[in-house]
Amino acid sequence: MSDPMEPSTSKSDPNPIIGPITLLHPRREPFEHGLLPIQKLIFTDPLQALIPLKQKLASSSSSSSTHRVNSDALADALQISSEHARLILDTLASVLHSEPDPLVNAHPDDVGSVGSDLRDLILFLYIQSYKRLLPRSHKDSAAVADVWPSTSAFDGYLSALSPLQLVRSNTRRFMPSQADEEAHQLSYLQKHLANIISLLSEPVEGEGEESLVLTMEGFEHLGFLIQFGDKGSEGIPLSQAAPFFANSDPDMPAVPVPASQVLDWLLENIASSLEHITDKISAKENGPQGGSDQDVAMADASSSSVRASPSARNCCFIEGVSKSSYVKQASDLKHSSVKVINCHDSVIYILAPLRYATIYGCSDATIVLGAVGKAVRVEHCERVHVIIAAKRVCIANCRECLFFLGVNQRPLVVGDNHKLQVAPYNTFYSQLEEHMTEVGIQATMNRWDEPLALGAVDPHDSLSHPAGVSDAQAESAAQLDPDQFTNFLIPNWFEGESAGSTKDNPFPLPDAYLKSQLRNQKNLSEIKQILREAPLEENRKRELSCALHVYFKDWLYASGNIRQLYCLQGD
């Protein structure tokens, strides 16, 4: 649902809108999943850097009529490796606003040759200068300082960023809410909008650079960064919300509009939206504790309370689950994105097709994501097992985590990570292949074992970093020893309600892991046979049974698999 606001009209406006329009929002996806810590993409003055780059790319684009830029042209223009050029196109494809774009629908092997629309690429490169909103300072940092005394990039700037510290504090009091982040993104757009529009505009013939106009097609590319309404790409087409393009004849090219007029109109809308969000934040902060906020995940959830909160912006939040299990199926989720925040000592199953997923600040948990068609980001987690079927995954600032991956693109590892491990995908549920097909994940292509490590310091965080470490490479992830590889069993709680065709892991296992799996199955069968045939007296059988239970319990705790037994508990 969207909030009405007064339309932007003036006497000079040739096509004033009659009646209220919906609020303008930033598109969160580019800011949450589209930033890459590659130093050559971080421009001190984006406008001055991108004007000549745009001209160079336009002259070298694969087609002068469509202005698409392939990976070779991009690598040459930015003086970066072909690997990084391909990464830029893969990342851009995952956050594009236009689903019909050829880059979005390209086969993974063809992304480099299909390339990107030049205007989308320029916007993508421009926002690499964006700095994320810092969490608020914790009021009682001394109370949590005893957990992680070091001040690394992982936990230094909060004095409480480690999951162990997060769980000891009222995290919502200092973590920025979704409304805070949206206001921060809108403020960034407000500051840079004049530059962004000038990069999308064209000079009027005969009048030079002093007089710029924006075509309706160029205006639509702003949909990469902004939207009207709350349903993302399914919301109002950008041109239909604008007074200067709304009533254009679909059979006739719309007349270009002065760039200054577009800028003034958008700045008015951004100012109105910022005012609305500021009022909303102020009302929440000044209102009673625990008040409802449709755009913020619920605060301080306990194992006995409701744990999921739908957002007004098409995202489901699962927050504060502790020492329990939590299950979401496709029939439960009406949102295209999920955020799992500050969950501890738990097992969380999200068995649904999704566009985006974020896992943030979790510890000692197992999290299963069904099928994510765009991007997954796992950040500031500790001792978490994550099982993911996804197009792409980014791992940032994590410690001692294990990732069982079915991914079509190379896993991206950024920031300050320690003791990460990756392994092939290791589970299934009955509708998995159906969900993978729905979001476009290919089981025949799994690049779990090709992690790509980028910078150890994230230039998009507004932090002061030690000198000399900006170009340091992040610690990559090691491959799990095949002897330690085990299948993960997802209970079938809803048999009959959600029958599907998947009977086994759809991602083929590498030989070493398959052999280990078969060997374990054979050993188990042999042990069962020996126990069945053992000529033991009844009291000896009881002693053996007790000993096995003790060893099994020790193994459950040592391996972290004890958390799976939460599935058997009643909530």
Side-chain angles (χ1 to χ4, degrees), residues 348-361:
I348 296 169
Y349 304 86
I350 305 170
L351 311 180
L354 301 165
R355 287 166 60 83
Y356 298 95
T358 300
I359 300 171
Y360 187 97

Side-chain angles (χ1 to χ4, degrees), residues 83-99:
E83 180 180 65
H84 282 180
R86 169 62 190 265
L87 174 63
I88 289 171
L89 293 178
D90 280 336
T91 306
L92 176 54
S94 72
V95 295
L96 263 183
H97 61 300
S98 175
E99 289 298 321

Side-chain angles (χ1 to χ4, degrees), residues 224-247:
F224 179 68
L225 296 174
I226 60 176
Q227 66 187 46
F228 286 93
D230 295 329
K231 294 186 178 179
S233 59
E234 300 172 6
I236 304 166
L238 205 57
S239 60
Q240 294 307 303
F244 26 79
F245 293 125
N247 300 315

Side-chain angles (χ1 to χ4, degrees), residues 184-197:
H184 184 66
Q185 291 161 10
L186 277 176
S187 297
Y188 171 85
L189 292 174
Q190 186 179 49
K191 179 181 177 181
H192 293 275
L193 195 59
N195 291 346
I196 289 169
I197 287 178

Side-chain angles (χ1 to χ4, degrees), residues 110-309:
D110 299 330
V111 165
S113 56
V114 169
S116 160
D117 183 287
L118 175 58
R119 289 160 294 194
D120 293 329
L121 178 62
I122 290 298
L123 293 182
F124 177 83
L125 294 175
Y126 193 101
I127 66 165
Q128 298 304 314
S129 65
Y130 174 76
K131 300 282 188 183
R132 292 192 189 94
L133 179 63
L134 272 178
R136 306 165 190 150
S137 297
H138 194 263
K139 293 178 181 177
D140 186 17
S141 57
V144 291
D146 61 312
V147 185
W148 286 108
S150 65
T151 54
S152 71
F154 184 86
D155 54 15
Y157 68 91
L158 266 187
S159 295
L161 198 52
S162 152
L164 285 179
Q165 293 168 318
L166 286 172
V167 80
R168 288 189 179 192
S169 58
N170 184 348
T171 59
R172 271 294 169 201
R173 295 190 188 281
F174 67 92
M175 288 181 66
S177 70
Q178 293 296 304
D180 291 330
E181 290 181 350
E182 180 163 320
H184 184 66
Q185 291 161 10
L186 277 176
S187 297
Y188 171 85
L189 292 174
Q190 186 179 49
K191 179 181 177 181
H192 293 275
L193 195 59
N195 291 346
I196 289 169
I197 287 178
S198 71
L199 286 166
L200 292 175
S201 301
E202 301 167 5
V204 176
E205 194 170 337
E207 298 188 30
E209 297 287 342
E210 297 302 315
S211 182
L212 295 173
V213 294
L214 194 62
T215 65
M216 187 167 83
E217 185 184 5
F219 181 74
E220 284 287 2
H221 284 274
L222 282 170
F224 179 68
L225 296 174
I226 60 176
Q227 66 187 46
F228 286 93
D230 295 329
K231 294 186 178 179
S233 59
E234 300 172 6
I236 304 166
L238 205 57
S239 60
Q240 294 307 303
F244 26 79
F245 293 125
N247 300 315
S248 300
D249 185 341
D251 298 322
M252 293 285 289
V255 177
V257 176
S260 58
Q261 183 182 346
V262 177
L263 176 62
D264 290 344
W265 182 78
L266 283 173
L267 286 176
E268 281 190 53
N269 278 275
I270 288 176
S272 297
S273 297
L274 273 171
E275 183 179 356
H276 173 83
I277 293 172
T278 303
D279 290 345
K280 181 179 178 180
I281 294 171
S282 177
K284 184 175 190 301
E285 289 179 346
N286 296 328
Q289 289 297 319
S292 173
D293 181 355
Q294 281 188 309
D295 201 33
V296 180
M298 48 156 282
D300 308 318
S302 68
S303 60
S304 60
S305 64
V306 178
R307 303 184 191 91
S309 171

